[in-house]
């Protein structure tokens, strides 16, 4: 059975981009695969942060994930910093990752442009990510589209490490070289149909660090205050202008939250100018409510019982530490330690 690994940064609240691009998929996949999900707090510190805020957000992220349907009886949920082997493997990988591969990562370029002084952690972010995944020798990684390039790098790292340190199998390959064991699998991304959700400004991807999000646990009033002014089809200026649903961010959210017959109706009313954008947004808000009400209710229950969350994270970390130790011991031995 394949093992799944995926992570999310506690750098802000879990938003509907994270939910639609990744977490909703995790909830489904946990029943089909051995699944490990991680709150990646060592990744979150690559951008400036407040320590007290980090503590709060780490817990809040775990609450949001559990409320969204991650079930610690079915899968494993843990916090990255509770398993120190992540940084040990990341260091090993740092020593073999080509600098050029890191410098050409789109996320590195974007994040470093927004900083006055660029920390090496932003550059090495995908190396830690490769370590997160490969520590559990996971071969499937359910993520949003923004992570596809990082996963390509994970495959480069796995391949390179295997070719340098994998045990010799004794067989000779067609090119005359000796075959090595594939100790680390080459992990593949698993995308959802909503692989890239744009922010409410309609310009950049929805992201915790961009302030253009709707958090999963916001109240209906907060959600409406954000949906109301959200960017729609830019060519639809007057109420009577017919719209083009395919270019509208709100329509894409309908496709994620509304039933198919509503999506069809929305598209028709937009194209014929039967509805204005506000009418369309009201229907979206209702569809979102249907999905978010039970999530909010579970979050309130969990918030009232922090020990339930802490217990789930502690047993998740214990489980992961055991797997991580085995991988690290095997890797150390092969690398000459
Ligand atoms: P953020 O960019 O909000 O900090 P993370 O880096 O913590 O998000 O990513 C957590 C997961 O959510 C990843 O699998 C990522 O691909 C996914 N994700 C993040 N933003 C989006 C988005 N706008 N649309 C789809 N998926 C996303």
């Amino acid at each position: 059975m394949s093992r799944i690994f995926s992570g999310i940064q506690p750098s802000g609240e879990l938003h509907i981009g994270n939910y639609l691009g990744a977490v909703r998929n995790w909830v489904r996949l946990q029943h089909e695969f051995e699944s490990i999900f991680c709150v990646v707090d060592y990744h979150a510190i690559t951008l400036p942060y407040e320590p007290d805020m980090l503590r709060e957000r780490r817990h809040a992220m775990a609450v949001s994930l559990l409320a969204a349907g991650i079930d610690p009886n079915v899968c494993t949920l843990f916090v990255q910093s509770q398993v120190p082997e992540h940084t040990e493997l990341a260091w090993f990988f740092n020593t073999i990752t080509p600098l050029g591969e890191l410098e050409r990562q789109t996320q590195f370029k974007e994040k470093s442009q927004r900083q006055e002084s660029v920390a090496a952690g932003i550059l090495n972010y995908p190396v830690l990510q490769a370590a997160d995944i490969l520590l559990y020798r996971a071969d499937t990684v359910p993520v949003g589209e923004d992570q596809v390039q990082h996963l390509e790098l994970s495959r480069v790292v796995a391949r390179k490490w295997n070719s340098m340190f994998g045990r010799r199998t004794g067989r000779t390959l067609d090119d005359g070289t000796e075959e090595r064991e594939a100790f680390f699998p080459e992990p593949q991304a698993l995308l959802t149909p909503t692989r890239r959700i744009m922010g409410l400004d309609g310009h950049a991807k929805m992201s915790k660090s961009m302030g253009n999000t709707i958090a999963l646990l916001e109240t209906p009033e907060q959600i409406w205050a954000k949906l109301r002014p959200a960017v729609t089809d830019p060519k639809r200026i007057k109420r009577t202008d017919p719209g083009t649903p395919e270019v509208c961010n709100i329509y894409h959210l309908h496709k994620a939250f509304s039933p198919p017959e509503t999506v069809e109706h929305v598209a028709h009313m937009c194209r014929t100018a039967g509805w204005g954008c506000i009418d369309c947004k009201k229907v979206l808000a209702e569809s979102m409510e249907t999905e978010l009400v039970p999530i909010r209710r579970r979050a309130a229950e969990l918030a009232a019982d922090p020990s339930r969350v802490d217990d789930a994270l502690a047993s998740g970390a214990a489980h992961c530490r055991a797997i991580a130790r085995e991988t690290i011991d095997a890797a150390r031995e092969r690398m000459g330690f």
Side-chain angles (χ1 to χ4, degrees):
M1 182 159 134
S2 286
R3 185 181 276 160
I4 278 189
F5 179 95
S6 200
I8 185 161
Q9 299 185 79
S11 48
E13 289 178 285
L14 197 158
H15 57 77
I16 58 171
N18 302 137
Y19 179 65
L20 299 174
V23 176
R24 186 153 74 172
N25 212 15
W26 300 358
V27 172
R28 188 174 59 80
L29 294 165
Q30 67 182 339
H31 300 288
E32 295 169 29
F33 297 89
E34 183 195 346
S35 305
I36 301 179
F37 303 117
C38 184
V39 177
V40 290
D41 48 356
Y42 280 163
H43 284 282
I45 64 170
T46 55
L47 291 176
Y49 74 101
E50 291 289 334
D52 283 339
M53 187 78 101
L54 179 67
R55 266 184 275 275
E56 264 171 44
R57 285 177 168 174
R58 189 190 288 122
H59 185 85
M61 182 54 75
V63 167
S64 293
L65 291 171
L66 294 169
I70 297 299
D71 180 352
N73 296 313
V74 175
C75 68
T76 304
L77 176 68
F78 78 109
V79 172
Q80 184 186 34
S81 60
Q82 294 185 357
V83 182
E85 284 80 2
H86 284 254
T87 44
E88 187 170 4
L89 190 59
W91 177 250
F92 291 162
F93 287 166
N94 261 317
T95 64
I96 61 163
T97 306
L99 186 58
E101 294 276 351
L102 294 176
E103 283 169 338
R104 70 180 186 84
Q105 298 292 313
T106 309
Q107 284 218 358
F108 166 67
K109 289 186 203 159
E110 279 172 6
K111 285 183 187 168
S112 54
Q113 268 165 12
R114 285 190 260 137
Q115 301 296 309
E116 253 177 53
S117 148
V118 180
I122 299 183
L123 180 72
N124 293 330
Y125 185 108
V127 181
L128 180 57
Q129 197 173 346
D132 295 339
I133 300 162
L134 296 176
L135 196 50
Y136 304 98
R137 298 166 80 184
D139 54 17
T140 308
V141 189
V143 282
E145 194 176 51
D146 56 327
Q147 295 301 327
V148 167
Q149 197 187 24
H150 284 174
L151 271 178
E152 224 174 271
L153 184 87
S154 294
R155 289 196 288 280
V156 169
V157 169
R159 209 173 304 139
K160 189 149 183 221
W161 191 96
N162 290 341
S163 74
M164 291 171 78
F165 303 113
R167 288 204 176 119
R168 290 182 169 83
T169 64
R171 280 190 294 273
T172 306
L173 295 170
D174 289 347
D175 62 5
T177 58
E178 261 190 302
E179 188 187 54
R180 302 269 190 158
E181 67 173 341
F183 180 74
F184 288 117
E186 294 183 22
Q188 303 293 330
L190 191 62
L191 299 172
T192 64
T194 41
R195 54 182 64 183
R196 182 180 168 85
I197 299 294
M198 296 301 281
L200 297 173
D201 49 12
H203 295 305
K205 78 151 191 166
M206 187 176 282
S207 176
K208 297 186 213 88
S209 56
M210 300 289 286
N212 59 2
T213 63
I214 292 180
L216 206 60
L217 300 181
E218 282 187 277
T219 63
E221 295 73 30
Q222 287 169 320
I223 293 179
W224 182 245
K226 289 180 172 181
L227 276 184
R228 208 185 153 87
V231 170
T232 56
D233 173 358
K235 293 218 178 85
R236 203 173 174 199
I237 295 157
K238 293 197 302 291
R239 162 73 180 75
T240 47
D241 291 339
T244 310
E246 290 73 21
V247 302
C248 177
N249 200 18
I250 297 297
Y251 178 66
H252 288 294
L253 292 175
H254 265 297
K255 284 204 285 189
F257 284 110
S258 297
E261 52 290 2
T262 307
V263 175
E264 228 172 87
H265 186 58
V266 162
H268 173 74
M269 295 310 266
C270 175
R271 279 196 194 99
T272 56
W275 278 354
C277 293
I278 289 289
D279 303 314
C280 175
K281 288 171 175 177
K282 278 185 188 151
V283 178
L284 173 63
E286 280 167 26
S287 299
M288 287 176 67
E289 273 306 284
T290 308
E291 183 142 353
L292 299 182
V293 162
I295 296 179
R296 251 183 244 133
R297 194 191 56 236
R298 282 196 295 270
E301 286 164 13
L302 288 160
D305 188 1
S307 63
R308 230 170 97 197
V309 179
D310 293 340
D311 289 351
L313 294 177
S315 78
H319 175 71
C320 286
R321 223 174 290 136
I323 305 174
R325 202 59 245 166
E326 252 182 57
T327 309
I328 280 288
D329 287 346
R332 286 174 66 95
E333 193 271 321
R334 284 162 176 76
M335 290 180 78
F337 292 97

